Amino acid sequence: MEREQKIEEALSIVWEEREKKVGGDAAVRARIYEKLKEDILDDLVKEGYVTVSGTLVKLTGPGEEKAKDIIRRQRLAERLLTDVLELDRREMDYSACEFEHILSKEVEESICTLLGHPVECPHGLAIPAGDCCQKAKDFLESIAVPLSKLKPGESGKVLYILTRKHPQLHKLMSLGILPGVRVFVHQVFPSVVIRAEETQLALEEDVAKEIYVKKS
């Protein structure tokens, strides 16, 4: 493992221990050693990423930003591998650890947008918001409407899918309901019948409520 990767791994451990409300240096050192086979907490201090006051380990400003970035990439990768590629938990954990070090900012934001700016990883832990999330929120609040609000004859472009049900998200994506796809509404009762590209689909109203579109 390269030195930079070790720094990122150690910072992610400090972040995770803070989430668990464990800030003692002994616990942090033990986890770092367990994962990296060496204790580099003092290196994090020397590089200005953390401070150790008494036994309390705290992220500095630069450390907070760097740890946030690596945690965000890791958890987005976990969501991608679980929701889209359907990897099992063990394979997902291993592959996400590899992904998190190679994702560029552009790819990271593309994945986040593809997944509808998710707020939790498959483990139920928070995914730190990125710039794309705030831009999307500002943009979407004014224009995004649930697909269920469109009337027969109206159309829109899919912006994101807001669901915590991973199988449902995967099913919709496999049917071609993806960000950027234009949909046309044919009927809204008893089910919502739409055309997405060349495919006609019938959706339950509750599912249509979770698909947000920009009317066109």
Side-chain angles (χ1 to χ4, degrees):
M1 187 180 291
E2 300 291 335
R3 190 67 182 168
E4 180 61 20
Q5 287 189 15
K6 289 185 176 181
I7 294 292
E8 291 182 344
E9 289 289 348
L11 284 172
S12 71
I13 289 170
V14 176
W15 180 286
E16 291 165 353
E17 293 299 295
R18 185 179 66 182
E19 284 182 319
K20 293 187 290 186
K21 303 190 185 307
V22 177
D25 64 334
V28 173
R29 286 182 190 280
R31 276 212 59 207
I32 290 175
Y33 187 82
E34 178 185 12
K35 191 161 190 176
L36 305 180
K37 306 306 178 193
E38 65 175 310
D39 176 9
I40 63 169
L41 182 59
D42 292 337
D43 293 358
L44 299 185
V45 175
K46 289 177 184 175
E47 297 196 25
Y49 292 131
V50 303
T51 60
V52 180
S53 178
T55 61
L56 183 63
V57 180
K58 290 184 66 175
L59 291 165
T60 63
E64 182 81 17
E65 286 302 308
K66 197 172 182 69
K68 175 184 169 184
D69 282 347
I70 190 67
I71 288 289
R72 174 173 159 77
R73 294 200 301 271
Q74 178 192 72
R75 293 177 180 174
L76 282 172
E78 290 174 350
R79 284 293 306 264
L80 178 71
L81 295 168
T82 301
D83 297 350
V84 180
L85 301 182
E86 296 185 297
L87 297 187
D88 61 32
R89 182 62 61 91
R90 189 175 67 173
E91 182 64 24
M92 178 266 290
D93 285 338
Y94 172 77
S95 299
C97 285
E98 298 297 314
F99 264 120
E100 69 191 38
H101 298 293
I102 60 176
L103 291 180
S104 67
K105 177 61 73 176
E106 183 179 15
V107 173
E108 169 205 306
E109 294 197 348
S110 296
I111 291 172
C112 191
T113 300
L114 173 69
L115 297 174
H117 305 284
V119 297
E120 288 184 352
C121 73
H123 303 286
L125 299 172
I127 300 175
D131 292 342
C132 65
C133 302
Q134 186 57 51
K135 290 176 184 175
K137 182 180 178 183
D138 294 343
F139 178 66
L140 294 173
E141 280 182 345
S142 61
I143 65 168
V145 295
L147 176 59
S148 59
K149 295 292 186 184
L150 268 60
K151 299 175 182 176
E154 292 186 325
S155 64
K157 182 183 290 186
V158 176
L159 295 172
Y160 64 98
I161 301 169
L162 188 61
T163 179
R164 292 174 181 264
K165 301 172 184 173
H166 299 167
Q168 182 164 289
L169 175 64
H170 186 266
K171 181 179 180 181
L172 289 170
M173 294 174 71
S174 70
L175 293 172
I177 307 299
L178 297 164
V181 168
R182 189 171 301 282
V183 296
F184 298 86
V185 177
H186 291 302
Q187 105 182 15
V188 295
F189 184 84
S191 58
V192 179
V193 178
I194 64 169
R195 178 165 56 84
E197 302 296 348
E198 301 303 320
T199 303
Q200 183 161 305
L201 304 167
L203 305 172
E204 295 178 2
E205 184 179 6
D206 286 346
V207 175
K209 286 179 178 177
E210 296 178 332
I211 301 170
Y212 282 76
V213 301
K214 178 184 178 182
K215 290 176 67 174
S216 56

